[in-house]
Amino acid sequence: MRAFLASSIGVVCTAALALPLTLNPPPARADRAAGADPAGGTQSLPLLPLGGGGLNRGAVMSSGPVQGVAPRSVRPFSLVGVVWDDASAPLRGQVQVRTRAAATGVWSDWRDLEALDDDAPDPDSSEGGDSRRRGGTTPLWVGDSDGVQARVRPSDGSRLLAARPADLPSGLRLELVDPGRAPDLPSRLRRSPATLSRPLTTDPSSDPGSSEDPAASAEDPSGDPEYPSAPPELQQPPEPEPSRPASDSDPGAGTQPPRELPAEPPDTSAARPHTAPRPRIVTRAGWGADEKLREKGHRYTKTVKVAFVHHTVTGNAYSCSQAPSIMRSIYRYHVQSMKWRDFGYNFAVDKCGNIYEGRSGGVTKAVQGAHTRGFNTNSMGIAVIGTYSSKKPAAKAVKAVAKLTAWKLGLFGKNPRGTTHLKSAGGNRYKKGTKAKLRVISGHRDGYNTECPGTGLYGKLGTVRSTAARLQGR
């Protein structure tokens, strides 16, 4: 989920619960900003011509037609993005926002939002062909905020233009998402006021999820009383596991990525199955998904041959106790702002190593997501919450991705160290109909010309593959 490289400026299973998981609404929290809707919601503000008046406080854009939102107070929100009417219309512009922290009244620096057209439904799918679907940027997590300013100026991808407003897509709107309050978690998991009021910071050295940061243990899911790894009461109940598919015999004579990939090892799953323990997974109910928002029903594919790894590009200035709020915010942005049928990724992982159920339909099943444009069939998408363009992900997040892929790919007889083939539904790297040779655990950039999942996270995929294979007993 990021701009294109050159063209543009997702433990053994514990005992099942006897009854479906239900969570009672908690009492109103005193730390919630005044005016916040307990159920959450989205404010949609049109971007209007600003002229020179929108270019203050150290603006880098000094001329040309600018659309945006002048500095203003708004109802509380925690995530921001920009959308436009036609999903097929390219942005060809630079989007910047800054926000005001509700706790301190301090305005942030200007921050860029990138076009979101690589984490998306397949063009030939009913979800991708929905006329209501909108174009949009990556969303940015900003924490509790009550003020905003935004600006968008036309660009040709390398320089800003003194162009007409018509060069920007029509219907530009600023989306301000309030995730609402969390479900009523057990007392030992309730978020403390200190965590909720922690000021937003963009200083990388203060990010507890950095693998280089000695303070990372403060967010350790095994030792943090605020938000340890998913407890039994929030884990996904087991579902019937799918029958193991036949060996993948796709000859795959199509286009390969530029670098040489190892030959696909023989699939011996029928004679000697390789499985891995099921990791602990926070259910949709556990992170507070409002099931009334998404479309009814589910769409499935035949199997899971590839796990695509992403980063959400929502920023790293979050505590792991805020991850459920980020999940609710992204969910609302995908469904209500972008007009997708559901949360785009099949799973998400926070920097403490907690795993979250993403798109609904069953964690053991081959649910079609909206995560890797052109390759959403017979694959799954895993998004590590944060931005890893240069920053390395926390070791616990990398290990969680390995545990998740080992288990889920094991259900479908796939070797995490292997390669396979997927048929492209159309994208900027593989034309429609191309049989692409891909690693069973791939980064998003392997299937689409994009920076995702960031250099920092992409560099850890070798560790993910080797760890996942070991967990499968290979």
Side-chain angles (χ1 to χ4, degrees):
M1 191 192 270
R2 5 300 99 209
F4 301 147
L5 291 177
S7 63
S8 195
I9 119 166
V11 179
V12 178
C13 176
T14 56
L17 298 175
L19 296 174
L21 179 62
T22 58
L23 299 172
N24 297 322
R29 295 204 316 249
D31 55 287
R32 286 284 290 166
D37 184 348
T42 302
Q43 302 170 72
S44 187
L45 309 177
L47 271 64
L48 304 174
L50 290 176
L55 303 178
N56 55 15
R57 295 183 181 267
V60 297
M61 298 183 289
S62 59
S63 64
V66 179
Q67 296 185 43
V69 172
R72 60 183 291 181
S73 296
V74 293
R75 296 192 306 275
F77 70 98
S78 295
L79 181 136
V80 58
V82 169
V83 300
W84 53 92
D85 290 340
D86 184 359
S88 65
L91 175 58
R92 295 198 181 100
Q94 181 183 20
V95 181
Q96 294 181 312
V97 298
R98 67 187 194 103
T99 57
R100 186 179 66 200
T104 65
V106 174
W107 285 87
S108 72
D109 294 332
W110 286 101
R111 286 171 282 190
D112 294 332
L113 300 181
E114 302 168 348
L116 173 61
D117 46 11
D118 46 356
D119 293 15
D122 287 341
D124 60 356
S125 68
S126 58
E127 185 175 6
D130 191 334
S131 61
R132 301 173 305 147
R133 193 165 65 87
R134 296 172 178 165
T137 68
T138 56
L140 177 68
W141 173 260
V142 295
D144 288 339
S145 303
D146 60 7
V148 70
Q149 183 178 3
R151 60 196 184 196
V152 184
R153 185 175 173 197
S155 165
D156 66 358
S158 61
R159 61 191 178 92
L160 300 174
L161 302 174
R164 303 161 302 171
D167 291 317
L168 293 171
S170 62
L172 285 164
R173 294 182 293 284
L174 186 67
E175 300 286 285
L176 307 175
V177 181
D178 173 12
R181 65 191 181 197
D184 189 15
L185 301 178
S187 59
R188 65 188 177 89
L189 296 179
R190 288 176 187 153
R191 293 183 253 174
S192 68
T195 299
L196 289 166
S197 61
R198 183 180 301 163
L200 177 66
T201 175
T202 57
D203 179 3
S205 65
S206 67
D207 179 6
S210 171
S211 57
E212 295 88 8
D213 187 353
S217 59
E219 297 291 348
D220 187 334
S222 64
D224 182 3
E226 283 187 78
Y227 202 83
S229 292
E233 55 266 43
L234 294 185
Q235 291 170 22
Q236 175 72 34
E239 301 159 358
E241 295 190 352
S243 58
R244 193 175 302 279
S247 173
D248 177 15
S249 58
D250 186 347
T255 304
Q256 297 185 18
R259 64 186 179 284
E260 186 68 24
L261 296 179
E264 183 175 9
D267 185 352
T268 60
S269 58
R272 187 177 48 151
H274 291 274
T275 58
R278 177 174 175 159
R280 292 179 291 183
I281 301 173
V282 180
T283 64
R284 286 170 62 91
W287 55 262
D290 182 352
E291 300 297 349
K292 296 187 296 294
L293 296 181
R294 67 174 178 85
E295 290 186 16
K296 294 181 179 179
H298 306 95
R299 293 195 172 98
Y300 299 93
T301 60
K302 293 181 179 180
T303 186
V304 175
K305 298 168 67 176
V306 175
F308 285 104
V309 179
H310 306 252
H311 62 166
T312 61
V313 202
T314 47
N316 300 319
Y318 73 93
S319 66
C320 290
S321 62
Q322 292 175 315
S325 294
I326 298 175
M327 292 291 293
R328 295 196 301 277
S329 297
I330 296 174
Y331 174 47
R332 198 174 281 272
Y333 185 76
H334 283 177
V335 174
Q336 293 191 318
S337 300
M338 302 289 290
K339 302 301 182 184
W340 297 357
R341 62 176 289 110
D342 196 351
F343 193 92
Y345 309 104
N346 298 100
F347 298 94
V349 175
D350 69 25
K351 59 190 177 186
C352 290
N354 297 304
I355 301 171
Y356 301 86
E357 177 187 14
R359 180 161 290 209
S360 63
V363 295
T364 65
K365 298 177 181 178
V367 180
Q368 185 177 48
H371 51 83
T372 305
R373 184 175 180 178
F375 291 107
N376 289 308
T377 296
N378 297 332
S379 72
M380 70 174 181
I382 303 168
V384 180
I385 299 174
T387 303
Y388 302 102
S389 300
S390 58
K391 190 179 188 65
K392 294 180 180 179
K396 291 186 180 296
V398 174
K399 187 174 182 180
V401 174
K403 288 181 177 180
L404 177 58
T405 52
W407 166 70
K408 185 64 179 279
L409 293 170
L411 298 181
F412 295 88
K414 303 308 294 182
N415 183 344
R417 284 198 178 106
T419 60
T420 187
H421 295 84
L422 288 180
K423 185 176 180 179
S424 173
N428 66 357
R429 181 164 185 166
Y430 294 100
K431 294 181 179 180
K432 184 175 181 179
T434 301
K435 289 182 178 179
K437 185 177 183 180
L438 298 165
R439 294 182 184 271
V440 169
I441 298 178
S442 288
H444 186 183
R445 64 175 66 176
D446 295 322
Y448 203 92
N449 284 329
T450 173
E451 192 265 342
C452 181
T455 301
L457 179 54
Y458 190 77
K460 294 293 184 180
L461 294 188
T463 300
V464 170
R465 295 182 189 109
S466 60
T467 302
R470 177 177 55 79
L471 291 172
Q472 285 189 355
R474 295 182 186 270

